[in-house]
Amino acid sequence: MSNWTRACGTDDIDNEDVIPVAIDGHDYAVYRSPDDDYFATDGHCTHEAFLLAEGLVMDNIIECPKHNGRFDYTTGEGKGAPICEDLRTYPVKVEGGSVYIDLG
Amino acid sequence: MAATGNVERIVVVGTGECGARVARELRERGFAGAITMIGDEPHTTYERPPLSKSALISDEISPVEVLPVARLAEFDVELMSGTAVESVDRDRMLAVLSDGGEVPYDRLLLATGARARTLPIAGGEFALTLRTIDDARALRAQLGPGRSVTVIGAGLIGLEVAASARQLGCDVTVLEVAPRALGRALPAEMADVLVKRHAEEGVEVLCGVVPTGISRLDGGLAVGVEGFDQPITADVVIAGIGVTPNVELAQAAGLRCENGIAVNDRLRTDDPAIFAAGDCCSFPHPLYGGRRIRLESWRNAHDQAVVAAANMLDGDEQHAAVPWFWSDQYDVGLQHAGLADEAGSAVVRDSGNGSQIRFALALDGRLVAASGVGTGTSTAKDIRVAEMLIAAGNRPDPEVLADASASLKELIKS
Ligand SMILES: Cc1cc2nc3c(=O)[nH]c(=O)nc-3n(C[C@H](O)[C@H](O)[C@H](O)COP(=O)(O)OP(=O)(O)OC[C@H]3O[C@@H](n4cnc5c(N)ncnc54)[C@H](O)[C@@H]3O)c2cc1C
Ligand code: FES
């Protein structure tokens, strides 16, 4: 079942950047790629659960701000140590200047 | 991929951060031969940084594994824990174990790390130290509301332990011999920010104080201090006075040691089959004029693991990563990139809310170091960018560095 929920406005995120979004007590990270596509993942790193949203986004990679663990935020794939577990991703759609996440 | 036809057996001594990372890296690079990791601690691979921070303030200290056991199996890595390598027979290319066993190698990695230095004063054995998960459990058992704790050494570990003990409700005093805290790790201005935070939390950091001895007193301990009429009494005394690299194995095998097992910028020792990486090795750093340094940081253990793995497989990678470390004290996060001692001038970027970054520029304008403090990971992104600028030998415009509203990320692109 889909459960589309508004996360933020499209302009709330700079190009090639990420913001934190909390919905019903759950933390998400919402990304805007260099091509202005939007993506969403769980908000916490799979290494030691620090929040990802203060990390550096470059191309399709988010680097965890704590110990620089890397993920491809478009797929959630962990890119090497210290990451041992991939990051959960969520479907995203853009409508009328808003970014929606499918919380499933 | 480089030819690795003659490398079939790789033995890793030390199952810490670096050893575990090497095993993973070897497999990720497609190495299909045997990997044996031998470690004297009776545990699987675990991370040390939480031991003075998040884990120490939890009720039960559980390990954060570097390579979860399931991963070790998946990577087909043989882990021999609770086993010390006693000697290395270089002629026969064998690691000789404490139980008399012999493990042959084609390539040997020494990732033996470092051990906590003990206090060289009378009664120094009464002071606890913190390096292993067993040390952390023993220390945790001594901490709790109302317990008095004296920490000797205002370095990173000492101050992290002080913060954690305080968060557990202990009364904490920190004694430092040097004129200021964190002298080895950070510029004075950044150290001051942390020391001020400790003061706000009620932790006193006394510098220029020389402990002369520790003795038992009324069920607790008394620390004698030069020039003090009375000893400082405490329930618990902890020494955080640095570490000694574990070089004895290498030394006994006739390998050169200079403040660590001496390797070249490929992390190879003078024996072409033997490499060393992590806290135990000293290496020439190409970004800093080829100066031989030794680092004691988590990230260095990982970065060197990657290079050592490549070169054990007959690659030719230079280790040139920018030194980087972090520390957590209370809710303050510190991150530091680079080596500051080449610095000519400093630029401060103040983002408000207690977040600030101090950049160190060499005389020729190159960025050589950056330290940031702030709540949590608030300075992380900028420090990461600084790290890339340092690696590139970039000469950033000091005005951009100082302007908190200017994006540093633009500097990498320009
Ligand atoms: C409490 C604590 C907090 C820390 N916090 C931070 C931090 O916040 N940020 C940061 O950057 N760094 C931090 N560090 C430093 C970081 O943990 C180390 O740099 C890192 O562990 C180095 O990894 P290593 O594999 O080189 O050595 P180690 O992790 O020390 O592992 C070496 C292993 O080899 C074993 N060994 C030695 N000799 C033999 C032998 N002959 N046979 C078999 N086994 C042997 C040792 O027992 C040990 O298990 C911290 C360290 C400690 C102790
Ligand atoms: S918490 Fe993200 S890399 Fe460690």
Side-chain angles (χ1 to χ4, degrees), chain A residues 7-83:
Chain A
C8 58
T10 48
D11 290 343
D12 293 342
I13 318 176
D14 289 337
N15 178 270
E16 200 178 39
D17 207 354
V18 56
I19 63 164
V21 174
I23 301 170
D24 292 338
H26 191 94
D27 292 307
Y28 301 89
V30 184
Y31 308 80
R32 178 169 168 181
S33 77
D35 301 331
D36 291 327
D37 292 323
Y38 292 81
F39 297 88
T41 68
D42 265 339
H44 294 270
C45 181
T46 60
H47 176 234
E48 280 187 48
F50 283 87
L51 281 172
L52 288 166
E54 284 183 325
L56 186 67
V57 175
M58 280 187 307
D59 296 327
N60 56 333
I61 298 292
I62 170 79
E63 255 190 29
C64 175
K66 196 62 206 181
H67 318 114
N68 312 120
R70 293 151 66 92
F71 300 93
D72 180 336
Y73 59 82
T74 68
T75 61
E77 189 193 350
K79 294 290 193 183
I83 306 306

Side-chain angles (χ1 to χ4, degrees), chain B residues 171-296:
Chain B
D171 297 320
V172 185
T173 307
V174 182
L175 310 180
E176 169 59 51
V177 175
R180 72 168 180 91
L182 294 166
R184 253 182 357 129
L186 284 183
E189 295 79 2
M190 300 312 270
D192 284 349
V193 174
L194 289 167
V195 168
K196 256 194 215 122
R197 183 54 196 274
H198 277 277
E200 283 164 21
E201 299 285 343
V203 172
E204 210 178 351
V205 181
L206 302 172
C207 294
V209 167
V210 181
T212 51
I214 306 175
S215 52
R216 284 191 197 281
L217 182 76
D218 303 333
L221 295 167
V223 183
V225 174
E226 222 171 80
F228 281 36
D229 297 339
Q230 299 287 324
I232 296 175
T233 57
D235 296 315
V236 190
V237 177
I238 302 154
I241 55 167
V243 297
T244 308
N246 293 322
V247 300
E248 290 74 7
L249 185 64
Q251 227 158 19
L255 294 168
R256 190 162 51 95
C257 295
E258 290 170 30
N259 176 36
I261 304 168
V263 292
N264 64 14
D265 61 357
R266 267 60 183 170
L267 307 182
R268 205 181 271 257
T269 66
D270 293 340
D271 181 330
I274 304 182
F275 294 73
D279 282 15
C280 68
C281 80
S282 69
F283 60 98
H285 203 305
L287 279 180
Y288 298 93
R291 193 150 51 92
R292 180 165 289 279
I293 59 172
R294 189 173 63 79
L295 296 172
E296 299 154 4

